Amino acid sequence: MVQRRKVLLTGLLGSMGPAALRAADDHTGGDPLGSMQWPTLRKEYLADAPMEFTEAVIVRTPAFADDAMNVPLQIDARRLSGTAGGVKRIWVVVDRNPVREVLSFEPLKALPMLSFRIRLEQASPVRAMVQTQDGRWHVGGTWAQAAGGGCTVPGATRADGSWSKTLNQVQARIFGNVIEGSRRLRLRVMHPMDTGLVAGIPAFYIEQLELLDSKGEAWWRLALHEPVSENPLLTLELPAEGPREFRLRGHDNNGNRIEAEVRA
């Protein structure tokens, strides 16, 4: 009986072919970045929703970031603007960070792209999971390399104690026609963005930001998490035509409010 089972198993494996054998041995869920963390991430964030890996979602970062506390990222999902009703949400996660979730972005009336900086604890895949209006997820990513330790050391303003003097101050500017058909909004919110992973310093970070027009309609929303770098510098793209005056509104996880006028 045992010998018969071995023969049957050998015959089955032989009939699968090289591609099927590779799939059977793949414990990354087909992840093109080869990350063993991906199956857990998918289950946690996407559950059983339909998804696909795609080059239509672009994640850009330097080949090597010198400062693990300020690793630049650009997420560009404009190629999905005409797919299934357009982009509903962009979720950014880092596979190997102690806090994986970085931010969630609802473009609403803005273009589905943004740039910012993150803390990176070690070399890791960084992903943008983009949901279109039909509920399907489109996943792009890249490997981010840095010296490491970016999540477990205090930021500069926390170390020198200056954070309390500038907390939630906002600097913002809108530039015209940087990308054809858009206006670029660049803003900085002063905040230590503590991860909670440094001894004696609890997690303290901006939780939400949104840009409102004079009618109170939101043009985009952001939910931020601990891995976003200290004093977040955010770059977003607005349509070329539209209001010239906005209001930035938000709060951190301690209930401190963020309010600022934003003008073109």
Side-chain angles (χ1 to χ4, degrees), residues 33-196:
L33 299 177
S35 172
M36 297 293 287
Q37 289 79 25
W38 168 248
T40 302
L41 281 169
R42 175 177 179 171
K43 182 177 180 180
E44 180 178 354
Y45 292 103
L46 309 186
D48 296 323
M51 63 79 60
E52 63 180 351
F53 295 108
T54 176
E55 294 182 358
V57 177
I58 302 170
V59 181
R60 297 187 178 96
T61 190
F64 186 88
D66 294 329
D67 184 356
M69 298 181 68
N70 289 282
V71 179
L73 284 182
Q74 183 188 64
I75 312 298
D76 187 350
R78 287 177 294 167
R79 289 171 59 184
L80 294 175
S81 295
T83 300
V87 173
K88 180 179 180 180
R89 176 192 295 184
I90 300 175
W91 230 334
V92 181
V93 296
V94 179
D95 289 30
R96 299 181 179 179
N97 261 6
V99 179
R100 291 171 163 179
E101 189 170 354
V102 178
L103 59 76
S104 176
F105 175 46
E106 296 176 70
L108 301 178
K109 300 181 182 182
L111 276 65
M113 65 180 302
L114 73 161
S115 300
F116 57 100
R117 295 172 182 264
I118 66 168
R119 290 180 166 96
L120 192 67
E121 186 64 16
Q122 60 180 302
S124 174
V126 178
R127 304 179 191 274
M129 305 183 295
V130 180
Q131 186 182 38
T132 43
Q133 295 293 341
D134 62 351
R136 187 173 186 85
W137 290 91
H138 311 259
V139 180
T142 190
W143 273 88
Q145 302 280 349
C151 296
T152 50
V153 294
T157 60
R158 174 63 71 178
D160 65 18
S162 63
W163 65 271
S164 61
K165 300 176 183 178
T166 60
L167 183 67
N168 290 340
Q169 291 181 9
V170 176
Q171 302 167 339
R173 184 178 176 186
I174 296 177
F175 301 83
N177 200 29
V178 178
I179 293 178
E180 185 177 357
S182 76
R183 294 176 292 165
R184 175 164 293 178
L185 167 61
R186 180 167 292 165
L187 63 92
R188 182 191 296 273
V189 183
M190 305 300 290
H191 200 285
M193 299 297 291
D194 298 312
T195 63

